[in-house]
Amino acid sequence: AQTVTQSQPEMSVQEAETVTLSCTYDTSESDYYLFWYKQPPSRQMILVIRQEAYKQQNATENRFSVNFQKAAKSFSLKISDSQLGDAAMYFCAYRSPNTGNQFYFGTGTSLTVIP
Amino acid sequence: DVKVTQSSRYLVKRTGEKVFLECVQDMDHENMFWYRQDPGLGLRLIYFSYDVKMKEKGDIPEGYSVSREKKERFSLILESASTNQTSMYLCASSIRYEQYFGPGTRLTVT
């Protein structure tokens, strides 16, 4: 099974600053999808951003962007101009097209935004 | 918008009870999943289903079973609840390459 590693259990950032959350994964596949999900306290998990492995261009969604390094198997999330509403647990996830739609999740990074 | 609902937000059961957790999605998704979420362990897949009456074991199926009689509904069953099954349970559905999550059920087994 593929493994996804988030080595930062907790991170903090000052409001309006930039923070980067790290994620690495292990796979022998060449085609796959990577995701960042956000889980606010006591609220539903939602998709933040998605990256297809065949695309060289890094995905961006407003203040959220990724740094996808396929050779290094690294997929970090950058949050610019951090806001109080960004405080949440963030999960990195991997999906293979070859394993029956199964998703593999990291252990999560808890982000605190300091006013 | 995709909507995934779970029957309960909070549930307290006694050891040995049979527990049913229900999940319903309204977008005709083929794939549905049950995860368990524990601090420091992330999300671990219990079971998933890619069609009605079809199921596949995930990483931690022991002590659980599932049922999918209708496309929109995926049930997780704890045949005999134990205290080590106290956890947050998340249901998800997906089509193509995105998953949509329900709000979760926090189950406490005493």
Side-chain angles (χ1 to χ4, degrees), chain A:
Chain A
Q2 281 74 10
T3 56
V4 178
T5 302
Q6 294 179 249
S7 58
Q8 306 153 315
E10 297 177 344
M11 294 278 287
S12 62
V13 62
Q14 290 285 145
E15 198 174 2
E17 297 295 311
T18 295
V19 65
T20 298
L21 308 184
S22 301
C23 174
T24 59
Y25 56 94
D26 184 25
T27 185
S28 57
E29 297 174 323
S30 59
D31 188 23
Y32 48 86
Y33 301 93
L34 296 165
F35 307 84
W36 279 99
Y37 280 89
K38 171 185 177 182
Q39 187 181 40
S42 301
R43 291 179 60 188
Q44 212 143 335
M45 183 110 66
I46 57 172
L47 178 68
V48 175
I49 199 164
R50 179 184 78 240
Q51 176 80 42
E52 291 90 341
Y54 66 86
K55 289 186 178 179
Q56 292 186 341
Q57 187 172 7
N58 289 325
T60 62
E61 286 288 343
N62 301 313
R63 299 182 294 106
F64 298 87
S65 61
V66 298
N67 183 5
F68 173 47
Q69 302 287 331
K70 192 172 184 179
K73 298 178 184 175
S74 170
F75 182 60
S76 60
L77 175 70
K78 185 171 82 170
I79 307 173
S80 305
D81 186 26
S82 296
Q83 300 176 0
L84 295 178
D86 294 334
M89 184 72 81
Y90 287 82
F91 291 95
C92 179
Y94 172 105
R95 180 192 177 273
S96 161
N98 302 317
T99 56
N101 303 302
Q102 189 167 345
F103 285 67
Y104 300 90
F105 286 83
T107 52
T109 296
S110 178
L111 179 65
T112 300
V113 180
I114 303 166

Side-chain angles (χ1 to χ4, degrees), chain B residues 30-52:
Chain B
E30 293 178 346
N31 305 311
M32 297 188 73
F33 305 79
W34 274 107
Y35 294 94
R36 173 175 170 159
Q37 182 180 6
D38 299 289
L41 298 177
L43 275 69
R44 293 179 291 167
L45 182 65
I46 305 171
Y47 270 96
F48 69 99
S49 169
Y50 51 90
D51 203 350
V52 174

